[in-house]
Amino acid sequence: MLLPLLLAALAAAAAWPGCEPAWDPAGGCSPPSASDSATCVDLRLRTCGDAAYNQTAFPTPLEHRSQEAVESSSEYILLSVLHHLLEGQCNPDLRLLGCAVLAPRCEGGRARRPCRRVCEGLRDACRPAFDAIDMAWPYFLDCDRYFGGEEEGCYDPLERLRGGLDVEEALPSGLPPTFIHFTHHSYAQMVRVLKRTAARCSHVARTYSIGRSFDGKELLVIEFSGRPGQHELMEPEVKLIGNIHGNEVAGREMLIYLAQYLCSEYLLGSPRIQRLLNTTRIHLLPSMNPDGYEVAAAEGAGYNGWTSGRQNAQNLDLNRNFPDLTSEFYRLASTRGTRTDHIAIPQHYWWGKVAPETKAIMKWMRTAPFVLSASLHGGDLVVSYPFDFSKHPHEEKMFSPTPDEKMFKLLARAYADVHPMMMDKSENRCGGNFLKRGSIINGADWYSFTGGMSDFNYLHSNCFEITVELGCVKFPPEEALYTLWQHNKEPLLNFVEMAHRGIKGVVMDKFGKPVKNARISVKGIRHDITTAPDGDYWRLLPPGSHIVIAQAPGYSKVIKKVTIPARMKRAGRVDFILQPLGTGPKTFPQGRRRSGPGLRDPPGGAGPHGEPEEPGQGPLRRQPGPGGSKPWWWSYFTSLSQHKPRWLLRY
């Protein structure tokens, strides 16, 4: 929820009002004029830290006379939470536009005004998002009052957001920065491409290492999100992993291409990609086994054997190297009432040989509340899903479903159903033997093995992982890579978007404090997920009616019934307020939730089944009640001691 995040900021809210029309007895602020001279000072506002300039000047157009006054203003607090209020829409664009007013650009001893055309473009595009939550367009984004024309020497506050590479980072061939080179990448080339891509899109991307391979190569990840490096409340986290087997290289290249595609499409203004990156935190690990890749690449495409380079430098198969929790699951499942999720790693596992790459993945899984994952392989053309280990150990092929069988099938179909070759009706093609199954299969029903990464994800964490076999050629020739990308681009995007299926919410106590590690149970599905440190959770669920239970030690459980329509493509918001044991009801009636501390309705209102409506569509507006009730977000700002932002109210 936003409330816990805002309390600290709101508690420190100062009385410096700035220039707000509602406070001016004359009826408005006087238009600021461009200063002939100003004293430039370093910009130290965190929310504006990624602006295209690093110096500002005081007083500002809103008459704030210090950075402290800006930070404690309601205008600044609004900018800091816009991403959450608008569910990722129009950000970071609006935030940077607001920063241009709250902290004007200063250079050469002169304060410069942002361009009016940029403001007008964003106002037209983003006003529906404000309408959807019954919020007025912020007064300080008045395009006529606070923005200037080209003749005044205005600047584009989104120049860095829309810009390409810096001169020194330009592609040496002179090709445009949006160009994707469909070729195989060595380790050094892969690192350069990922870092260059992150530099191009530094406002939504970064690279980081999760560890090193046995031979010392960095396991490099590129991340895309509205605020790289931070888990944001209610934002699901997705990871895609390639090249776990060093000689299965198609996944490695697909993720390198995907990184470049996401960056370019974001900069080009693709609504789909901008929404995806603004509402999802995506982590791409193109190569989990860079040492094995080097062995396979030394033989080259077309000459590589079926197993050369498959293992890591220790000769370990990384997809057999994870703890066998599936056997423990089968043992626990036979006992009524025993939890079969979040199974601990047995101590004896560490007595064996554990690859550094495997350890890096397990450590990585503890750093982020991953919801969804895919591991990209090669050797066939099919999507498989857990369990990979048969419920009868001696059965090499046996259908062995998880408690979330329906959801896993939906996830697998999300990939296979939009893959042109997986849907090809020829049985003679690669993967043709899976045609009657729709090109998806339960892993153990294909062949059974222990120590797999997908089973481990499901049984040790909240993460649902599938395995995608991208084709029958493990090391395809270079000329086949473009076609492979065309076949897999849409399936990859469609799969990542599945992170927004089911329900999400926040679990908190009656004071609005988040409850971490609370259990979210679904009646009839013997697999619980747990809340993240901020109290937020995501529960992937198929369409239908579900009884959802939230519980934590020391609190009474809360039970709610939710209905997920088949058409719903955004997670429905279901929050829980837990009462200490011995107080309050154990169940809440259905219907719109009202004003508990930190509780809110879904942004944009809710449909008849509790699902959020799309902004700008359907019955979004909620008119004030007879008593003049305020919108759901108003309570977040009422702690402002002297001046509440009434300029955000539409009525």
Side-chain angles (χ1 to χ4, degrees):
M1 264 276 57
L2 288 177
L3 187 61
L5 299 179
L6 285 175
L7 284 178
L10 295 176
W16 197 277
C19 183
E20 176 187 334
W23 303 333
D24 187 343
C29 304
S30 56
S33 59
S35 302
D36 293 331
S37 62
T39 301
C40 298
V41 297
D42 290 341
L43 178 62
R44 294 183 287 104
L45 299 172
R46 181 177 177 183
T47 294
C48 303
D50 55 347
Y53 51 95
N54 54 26
Q55 288 201 313
T56 187
F58 295 96
T60 70
L62 304 187
E63 298 299 327
H64 295 127
R65 299 184 179 276
S66 68
Q67 306 216 41
E68 291 72 24
V70 173
E71 287 179 319
S72 60
S73 69
S74 55
E75 295 89 346
Y76 182 81
I77 292 173
L78 173 66
L79 289 186
S80 70
V81 298
L82 263 181
H83 180 81
H84 298 294
L85 290 173
L86 301 182
E87 290 268 294
Q89 297 181 82
C90 297
N91 272 292
D93 309 54
L94 272 181
R95 177 171 54 81
L96 293 174
L97 189 74
C99 286
V101 176
L102 267 66
R105 181 173 186 160
C106 188
E107 55 184 30
R110 178 174 175 266
R112 296 181 60 191
R113 298 175 73 184
C115 290
R116 184 176 296 114
R117 59 175 173 79
V118 179
C119 176
E120 291 171 342
L122 272 182
R123 181 188 60 196
D124 294 343
C126 300
R127 219 166 201 162
F130 282 83
D131 292 343
I133 61 171
D134 287 331
M135 181 179 282
W137 183 254
Y139 80 92
F140 60 92
L141 297 183
D142 184 323
C143 301
D144 295 323
R145 187 181 300 273
Y146 295 109
F147 295 79
E150 309 289 342
E151 68 281 359
E152 300 177 43
C154 69
Y155 76 97
D156 180 357
L158 309 183
E159 58 188 346
R160 180 175 293 177
L161 186 65
R162 302 299 177 216
L165 292 171
D166 294 333
V167 174
E168 65 271 19
E169 295 171 340
L171 296 171
S173 62
L175 293 169
T178 54
F179 182 80
I180 298 176
H181 194 195
F182 294 99
T183 185
H184 288 291
H185 293 80
S186 68
Y187 176 77
Q189 290 168 337
M190 175 186 73
V191 170
R192 281 199 296 271
V193 169
L194 296 181
K195 290 191 173 182
R196 186 172 64 225
T197 301
R200 246 184 98 217
C201 285
S202 59
H203 51 290
V204 291
R206 68 165 184 138
T207 58
Y208 65 96
S209 172
I210 62 169
R212 291 182 180 273
S213 69
F214 186 78
D215 282 345
K217 296 181 181 67
E218 296 278 6
L219 302 178
L220 194 66
V221 174
I222 184 167
E223 171 201 333
F224 291 90
S225 72
R227 292 204 171 180
Q230 301 176 42
H231 170 69
E232 296 190 70
L233 197 73
M234 303 309 308
E235 187 171 83
E237 309 230 8
V238 181
K239 57 183 169 72
L240 302 179
I241 299 174
N243 208 199
I244 186 172
H245 293 140
N247 64 331
E248 298 172 13
V249 306
R252 171 191 178 106
E253 298 304 334
M254 294 306 105
L255 295 186
I256 294 172
Y257 306 157
L258 179 62
Q260 297 171 82
Y261 176 82
L262 291 175
C263 175
S264 295
E265 289 296 300
Y266 191 94
L267 294 178
L268 291 171
S270 163
R272 181 187 188 185
I273 299 305
Q274 288 196 346
R275 179 178 183 122
L276 184 63
L277 300 197
N278 286 332
T279 60
T280 320
R281 193 178 179 202
I282 304 170
H283 308 255
L284 309 180
L285 174 61
S287 184
M288 181 179 162
N289 187 2
D291 298 344
Y293 175 83
E294 296 299 319
V295 174
E299 294 185 358
Y303 298 96
N304 179 256
W306 196 249
T307 59
S308 298
R310 176 184 175 92
Q311 286 84 2
N312 77 338
Q314 295 169 282
N315 202 33
L316 293 174
D317 186 328
L318 298 180
N319 204 35
R320 307 291 187 275
N321 194 231
F322 285 84
D324 172 21
L325 302 185
T326 322
S327 296
E328 181 67 3
F329 168 85
Y330 293 137
R331 187 187 69 80
L332 294 170
S334 63
T335 305
R336 184 179 177 86
T338 305
R339 286 189 64 180
T340 57
D341 53 83
H342 295 83
I343 300 174
I345 298 172
Q347 189 61 40
H348 64 78
Y349 167 75
W350 302 108
W351 301 342
K353 188 181 289 186
V354 182
E357 297 90 345
T358 308
K359 291 179 183 176
I361 294 293
M362 292 192 287
K363 182 179 178 182
W364 187 29
M365 289 169 58
R366 292 194 297 270
T367 65
F370 291 114
V371 178
L372 188 61
S373 178
S375 177
L376 308 184
H377 292 244
D380 219 315
L381 191 63
V382 68
V383 181
S384 72
Y385 59 87
F387 287 126
D388 284 321
F389 185 44
S390 171
K391 57 185 175 182
H392 291 293
H394 299 298
E395 292 288 342
E396 186 178 337
K397 295 183 178 183
M398 184 175 190
F399 177 61
S400 304
T402 68
D404 282 285
E405 165 72 7
K406 288 183 180 179
M407 191 64 222
F408 269 118
K409 289 184 76 170
L410 285 178
L411 294 174
R413 284 177 176 152
Y415 201 100
D417 286 357
V418 294
H419 190 291
M421 292 307 297
M422 289 186 184
M423 289 296 99
D424 188 294
K425 300 303 181 183
S426 171
E427 293 187 2
N428 296 321
R429 64 167 173 84
C430 169
N433 52 314
F434 299 106
L435 181 61
K436 292 180 180 179
R437 299 174 181 262
S439 292
I440 69 171
I441 190 170
N442 170 259
D445 203 15
W446 184 14
Y447 64 91
S448 175
F449 66 92
T450 62
M453 185 165 64
S454 293
D455 283 12
F456 177 76
N457 269 266
Y458 181 69
L459 293 175
H460 189 65
S461 73
N462 292 332
C463 190
F464 287 42
E465 181 173 282
I466 64 169
T467 299
V468 182
E469 299 281 347
L470 295 171
C472 291
V473 181
K474 292 193 173 188
F475 203 128
E478 199 162 272
E479 57 267 24
L481 293 176
Y482 175 73
T483 301
L484 272 171
W485 167 245
Q486 290 299 314
H487 289 169
N488 287 282
K489 177 180 68 176
E490 179 58 29
L492 286 166
L493 295 174
N494 200 45
F495 176 75
V496 171
E497 289 169 340
M498 290 294 287
H500 296 277
R501 297 299 181 95
I503 60 174
K504 65 180 179 180
V506 178
V507 179
M508 65 195 76
D509 65 18
K510 64 180 183 179
F511 301 107
K513 181 181 178 182
V515 179
K516 70 176 182 178
N517 290 324
R519 287 168 54 193
I520 304 297
S521 309
V522 180
K523 188 175 181 180
I525 302 178
R526 195 175 173 183
H527 185 85
D528 299 348
I529 58 101
T530 57
T531 56
D534 292 332
D536 45 349
Y537 76 91
W538 306 260
R539 197 7 168 139
L540 299 175
L541 285 172
S545 294
H546 303 275
I547 303 298
V548 184
I549 305 157
Q551 54 192 311
Y555 296 93
S556 299
K557 66 173 60 174
V558 177
I559 304 173
K560 294 186 178 185
K561 181 179 180 180
V562 300
T563 299
I564 302 173
R567 71 182 186 277
M568 187 167 126
K569 294 187 177 180
R570 294 179 62 192
R573 184 71 179 266
V574 183
D575 294 334
F576 294 89
I577 296 180
L578 301 186
Q579 300 289 338
L581 280 174
T583 65
K586 290 191 176 184
T587 63
F588 286 104
Q590 282 186 265
R592 187 177 297 280
R593 299 178 300 281
R594 304 311 289 177
S595 57
L599 186 63
R600 70 175 175 88
D601 290 322
H609 301 282
E611 76 276 15
E613 297 279 3
E614 292 288 338
Q617 301 177 9
L620 295 172
R621 295 289 308 281
R622 287 183 287 129
Q623 299 301 325
S629 60
K630 301 293 192 294
W632 56 263
W633 44 263
W634 178 250
S635 61
Y636 299 146
F637 296 96
T638 56
S639 297
L640 291 170
S641 57
Q642 184 174 354
H643 298 287
K644 298 173 184 177
R646 299 189 182 279
W647 37 271
L648 286 175
L649 296 174
R650 296 170 60 88
Y651 41 78

